[in-house]
């Protein structure tokens, strides 16, 4: 809250609580505000609001958060979506928004990429570079659910977090993928007999990185 004050023979000033801002400082504050507006305008030029352009299914739910992507990326048309993702997913996963349009798009392109066999006879991978909170775990769960529905029922999920099991189990259950989750190779050794004959299995392995100087 600004309280106007003025004394005869002194430069007019404005007081903020107990701090006096003279004319020079006031100009600096105005300049900062102007730069803030410019920065916001530049951000709008650099980033664009995300819009799903690859999926054309009427009952798909929009992602609940406000998501932006690089403007140069938004200007490029996405690859043609050929993978029949909706043949495998339960209808309620799509219609109730358990996987949003953004997440479904990530699942589709990942599964589509996995169909490619590289010249070295290895299967192609897919990198999900979404920021925190977008739902990368939910997308991985969607990939597992699609493979599970197509008869590919054993998966390995690598992570650097020892707390991942709870999050992974939650994401899987939320989209209706109820498979046994084994945390770490030690638990896998204990359940080797089960693992060899299990119809469905997700093994979560924690990777620890060490810094060497």
């Amino acid at each position: 809250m600004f309280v106007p004050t003025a004394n005869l023979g002194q430069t007019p000033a404005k007081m903020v609580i107990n701090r006096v801002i003279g004319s020079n400082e006031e100009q600096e504050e105005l300049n900062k505000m102007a730069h803030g507006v410019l920065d916001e305008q530049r951000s709008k030029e650099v980033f664009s609001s995300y819009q799903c352009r690859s999926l054309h299914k009427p009952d798909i739910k929009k992602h609940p958060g406000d998501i932006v992507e690089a403007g140069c990326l938004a200007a490029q048309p996405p690859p043609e979506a050929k993978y029949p993702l909706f043949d495998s997913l339960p209808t309620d996963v799509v219609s109730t928004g358990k996987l949003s349009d953004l997440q479904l798009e990530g699942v589709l392109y990942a599964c589509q990429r996995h169909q490619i066999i590289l010249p070295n006879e290895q299967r192609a991978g897919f990198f999900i570079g979404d920021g925190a909170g977008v739902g990368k775990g939910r997308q991985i769960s969607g990939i597992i659910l699609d493979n599970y529905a197509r008869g590919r029922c054993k998966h390995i999920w690598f992570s650097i977090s020892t707390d991942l099991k709870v999050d992974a189990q939650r994401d899987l259950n939320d989209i209706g993928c109820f498979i046994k989750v084994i945390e770490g190779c030690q638990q896998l050794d204990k359940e080797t007999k089960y693992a060899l004959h299990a119809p469905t299995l997700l093994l979560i392995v924690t990777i620890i990185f060490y810094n060497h100087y």
Side-chain angles (χ1 to χ4, degrees):
M1 179 178 179
F2 288 90
V3 180
T5 62
N7 294 322
L8 293 175
Q10 295 183 356
T11 303
K14 291 182 178 180
M15 180 178 293
V16 184
I17 310 302
N18 293 323
R19 186 168 68 91
V20 176
I21 299 180
S23 58
N24 291 336
E25 292 187 31
E26 185 177 27
Q27 187 60 46
E28 290 179 5
E29 292 294 325
L30 292 174
N31 289 338
K32 289 180 181 178
M33 293 174 62
H35 284 305
V37 173
L38 289 175
D39 290 341
E40 184 177 351
Q41 291 176 345
R42 292 193 188 101
S43 295
K44 291 181 179 179
E45 294 174 359
V46 174
F47 297 101
S48 300
S49 296
Y50 166 80
Q51 292 183 349
C52 182
R53 296 174 291 164
S54 61
L55 306 178
H56 307 286
K57 194 172 175 63
D59 53 347
I60 289 178
K61 302 301 181 184
K62 185 176 176 60
H63 194 75
D66 294 325
I67 306 297
V68 296
E69 60 181 340
C72 57
L73 182 62
Q76 300 298 319
E80 184 180 357
K82 299 179 180 180
Y83 188 79
L85 178 65
F86 301 108
D87 292 349
S88 66
L89 295 183
T91 55
D92 68 303
V93 171
V94 178
S95 62
T96 62
K98 293 179 180 179
L99 287 173
S100 67
D101 56 354
L102 183 152
Q103 294 165 344
L104 285 167
E105 188 175 56
V107 173
L108 185 146
Y109 281 130
C111 293
Q112 181 168 300
R113 179 67 179 171
H114 292 160
Q115 302 306 300
I116 299 174
I117 303 299
L118 301 174
N120 61 0
E121 299 184 353
Q122 294 183 352
R123 192 174 298 276
F126 185 82
F127 178 79
I128 300 177
D130 297 337
V134 174
K136 293 184 288 295
R138 188 64 67 96
Q139 292 179 66
I140 294 173
S141 298
I143 296 169
I144 292 174
L145 178 59
D146 173 79
N147 281 272
Y148 170 75
R150 298 177 191 276
R152 299 183 287 268
C153 301
K154 295 183 180 181
H155 310 87
I156 300 178
W157 188 332
F158 291 93
S159 173
I160 61 171
S161 172
T162 56
D163 300 327
L164 176 68
K165 180 182 178 181
V166 175
D167 295 336
Q169 191 78 69
R170 179 203 62 218
D171 287 333
L172 288 164
N173 292 346
D174 284 349
I175 63 172
C177 186
F178 300 97
I179 64 176
K180 183 175 180 62
V181 177
I182 293 179
E183 182 181 9
C185 295
Q186 291 183 350
Q187 185 181 352
L188 179 64
D189 290 339
K190 295 178 181 178
E191 304 193 29
T192 299
K193 183 177 180 180
Y194 173 87
L196 290 175
H197 303 285
T200 59
L201 171 69
L202 170 62
L203 170 63
I204 295 182
V205 179
T206 301
I207 305 298
I208 301 176
F209 293 94
Y210 295 95
N211 291 325
H212 297 280
Y213 298 96

